[in-house]
Amino acid sequence: MESPTHSAPDAFERSDRRLVVVEKDLIASSVMSITLRRVDGGRLPDWTPGAHIDLILPDGVTRQYSLCGDPADSGDYRIAVLREAAGHGGSRFIHDVLTVGDRVGLGGPRNNFVLVPSASYTFIAGGIGITPILPMLRAAEAVGSRWRLLYLGRDRSTMALVDELAVGSGDVTLHPASERGRISLAEWIGSYDEATKVYACGPARLLESVVDATRTWRPGWVRSERFTARTVDEPPRLTPFEVQIFGTDITVGVGPGTSVTTALRGAGIDILTSCARGVCGTCETTVVSGEPDHRDSILSDAEQVAGDCFFPCVSRSRSDRIVIAV
């Protein structure tokens, strides 16, 4: 997640939003484990498996990282950061500059990848996508659900957290491509089982393969989290539309090439954003009326059809007017 961002200006002012780095360890090739604690030693906000936080670096840049520690631990947050050589510098800063004792700001936690109750789970992780999956394995084991995991990577040296996957009775399949070649994902997933839900996280190509393998399944049975924005094939609306703020007489025009958040800020209405790519969920906004043009990488097909929220950093309106609550 390497893009310029817009974050809360008081991130370094509130004591409950200031964190200190207490541990930093290289746990795989190009993967750094970071443990964070509140500067004042207080309790951290609760979180559930699948949640991520905004890490606000000392230069003000914000990046999103999945929490991979223990939700029952109210004192520490743990993340794992992949060094992205071709990124915009956030991960390189964390790997090369950030040290134990440094302070960062906190946004969130938020959860767009909620683990819902199920008798059985199939988990699929690609590379650093193991980070939100690991707490899910522990949660599934704790409630007695059946589960299995497919963990894919280029080679073993790049696969982080492997030694933490033996969390109980689940079936773990490690698939380093350098040793085992390509896998038939559809064959491994198998046929639809109404008792089993699928959770996948990893590179876009992996997630598209999961979608292809489960296209005929019941809606909501397959959930995924993307680290990069998906490609929306349908072109965006090329004519202006209006955004009305519910309960007020404020109406803002949005022209082609201008995001809803940019147009709103131009009218003095600020909506907090972070990734600005429809990936993190920071700017989720309630839709009161109108038809959103969903262009995010978060909502499921069923959630998009419901049309009761959208992400104005990337999404737009199909109707001439959309009414939102901010």
Side-chain angles (χ1 to χ4, degrees), residues 46-97:
D46 294 337
W47 61 281
T48 54
H52 69 269
I53 59 171
D54 296 327
L55 197 66
I56 306 167
L57 300 176
D59 60 2
V61 170
T62 302
R63 297 291 183 266
Q64 293 78 41
Y65 296 105
S66 297
L67 291 166
C68 58
D70 181 359
D73 182 355
S74 63
D76 291 338
Y77 281 161
R78 185 188 181 198
I79 59 174
V81 180
L82 172 67
R83 192 180 197 278
E84 299 181 62
H88 291 268
S91 66
R92 294 198 302 274
F93 182 93
I94 291 171
H95 274 247
D96 303 340
V97 180

Side-chain angles (χ1 to χ4, degrees), residues 75-274:
D76 291 338
Y77 281 161
R78 185 188 181 198
I79 59 174
V81 180
L82 172 67
R83 192 180 197 278
E84 299 181 62
H88 291 268
S91 66
R92 294 198 302 274
F93 182 93
I94 291 171
H95 274 247
D96 303 340
V97 180
L98 195 70
T99 63
V100 171
D102 284 350
R103 298 184 178 191
V104 296
L106 168 68
R110 283 178 294 276
N111 199 339
N112 306 315
F113 195 37
V114 177
L115 185 69
V116 299
S118 181
S120 176
Y121 297 98
T122 288
F123 298 107
I124 302 169
I128 199 64
I130 191 62
T131 51
I133 297 294
L134 178 57
M136 292 184 176
L137 305 183
R138 297 174 180 141
E141 185 68 23
V143 298
S145 297
R146 301 186 308 276
W147 62 269
R148 60 181 181 140
L149 165 70
L150 173 63
Y151 182 13
L152 303 121
R154 291 194 307 275
D155 57 67
R156 288 182 185 271
S157 68
T158 67
M159 300 172 72
L161 305 171
V162 169
D163 58 347
E164 299 184 34
L165 299 179
V167 298
S169 59
D171 179 21
V172 176
T173 300
L174 299 181
H175 193 98
S178 61
E179 300 174 19
R180 306 183 65 179
R182 297 191 65 178
I183 189 172
S184 171
L185 194 58
E187 182 177 334
W188 188 88
I189 292 174
S191 58
Y192 170 69
D193 175 3
E194 66 177 9
T196 301
K197 292 184 173 63
V198 176
Y199 282 78
C201 185
R205 189 168 69 173
L206 169 65
L207 299 185
E208 294 303 328
S209 296
V210 172
V211 169
D212 289 342
T214 60
R215 196 172 297 278
T216 61
W217 288 28
R218 181 177 175 181
W221 253 238
V222 180
R223 297 302 300 259
S224 63
E225 182 168 63
R226 296 174 180 266
F227 292 142
T228 57
R230 69 183 177 92
T231 299
V232 180
D233 294 331
E234 184 180 358
R237 176 185 178 128
L238 298 178
T239 56
F241 59 92
E242 293 182 333
V243 177
Q244 180 180 346
I245 308 303
F246 179 69
T248 76
D249 57 0
I250 300 173
T251 300
V252 178
V254 182
T258 301
S259 72
V260 174
T261 52
T262 298
L264 291 174
R265 285 174 186 152
I269 302 165
D270 194 22
I271 293 180
L272 182 64
T273 62
S274 183

Side-chain angles (χ1 to χ4, degrees), residues 252-313:
V252 178
V254 182
T258 301
S259 72
V260 174
T261 52
T262 298
L264 291 174
R265 285 174 186 152
I269 302 165
D270 194 22
I271 293 180
L272 182 64
T273 62
S274 183
C275 74
R277 294 173 297 146
V279 173
C280 73
T282 300
C283 66
E284 182 175 355
T285 303
T286 299
V287 174
V288 178
S289 65
E291 183 183 1
D293 176 12
H294 296 290
R295 312 191 76 80
D296 63 273
S297 302
I298 299 172
L299 297 178
S300 67
D301 290 346
E303 290 168 334
Q304 289 189 4
V305 170
D308 55 6
C309 71
F310 81 148
F311 299 90
C313 68

